[in-house]
Amino acid sequence: MSSSQEVHKNVILLPQTNQLIGLYSIIRDQETKRGDFVFYSDRIIRLLVEEGLNQLPVETATINCHGGQVYQGAKFLGKICGVSIVRAGESMEMGLRDCCRSVRIGKILIQRDEETALPKLFYEKLPEDISDRYVFLLDPMLATGGSAMMAVEVLLSRGVQMNRIFFLNLLAAPEGIKAFQEKYPEVKIITGGIDEKLDEDKYIVPGLGDFGDRYYCI
Ligand code: PRP
Ligand code: URA
Ligand code: MG
């Protein structure tokens, strides 16, 4: 059982507990230094990965326990892989590795133009058998949705089924969710927060600034 909320069809919001709000309060604060930003973002990432795993199908499994008792449990069905949108999405790889031992990880390098906010695809390297896998697409920010949509296009061109893609992100703007869902209604978005809007520079409001810069540089 998961207490996450499906706020729209295929948009899953992590439970807005005091703990989660406390974590976001730290990473949204512009006074927070990089060490804390990384530590508390990583905690949220871990929750997103756990929720992604909750969404995967299972089959029943009968387990023989120590005293001869039988336990009716569950076993994951299928194989997964992670795909990060470089650069900021790479911050989510460790959280996935922590939960899924020796998970395969692909990379798609997409950069948003700083003037136009339009995404540009530079590079992709994905597992050969990606079309047989559930894919956790990793990027902390869903702003206009342009970068995520471009990444999904790459995955579909490699034969991944739309309903096997789970897009994990820390913050989403309503504009990005709408654009993304109109184009890819079967992809599940798993997010920790849905903010108010985008500003004139297509940054999320209230947001947290440039995630990649705060996690890696500042
Ligand atoms: C950021 C972020 C997303 C994208 C979101 O990346 O990590 O990939 O912008 O914006 P969108 O929804 O409007 O496309 P950016 O291109 O700034 O690169 P970075 O990962 O190097 O920070
Ligand atoms: N990328 C970010 O890092 N933050 C935003 O608010 C929008 C795009
Ligand atoms: Mg950036």
Side-chain angles (χ1 to χ4, degrees), residues 87-88 111-112 114 141 203 209-214:
R87 160 192 66 166
Q111 288 287 290
R112 201 171 88 138
E114 291 195 359
M141 297 284 119
Y203 270 74
D210 187 306
F211 186 95
D213 283 355
R214 295 194 67 194

Side-chain angles (χ1 to χ4, degrees), residues 13-82:
L13 180 65
L14 291 183
Q16 300 294 296
T17 59
N18 286 341
Q19 181 186 194
L20 191 73
I21 292 166
L23 297 174
Y24 275 92
S25 301
I26 297 169
I27 65 167
R28 285 179 189 277
D29 188 339
Q30 290 305 295
E31 300 298 318
T32 296
K33 298 277 184 293
R34 198 164 68 87
D36 278 343
F37 186 84
V38 168
F39 182 83
Y40 292 104
S41 296
D42 286 351
R43 284 195 53 196
I44 298 170
I45 289 164
R46 179 63 181 256
L47 297 171
L48 289 166
V49 170
E50 297 285 4
E51 183 53 40
L53 295 172
N54 278 338
Q55 299 296 324
L56 294 176
V58 291
E59 62 183 359
T60 54
T62 303
I63 308 298
N64 298 314
C65 299
H66 72 106
Q69 289 92 343
V70 165
Y71 171 75
Q72 293 301 342
K75 189 161 133 301
F76 284 120
L77 266 181
K79 301 179 286 185
I80 71 161
C81 72

Side-chain angles (χ1 to χ4, degrees), residues 85-88 110-112 117 139-147 210 212:
I85 303 180
V86 180
R87 160 192 66 166
I110 293 172
Q111 288 287 290
R112 201 171 88 138
D139 192 327
M141 297 284 119
L142 170 58
T144 65
S147 306
D210 187 306

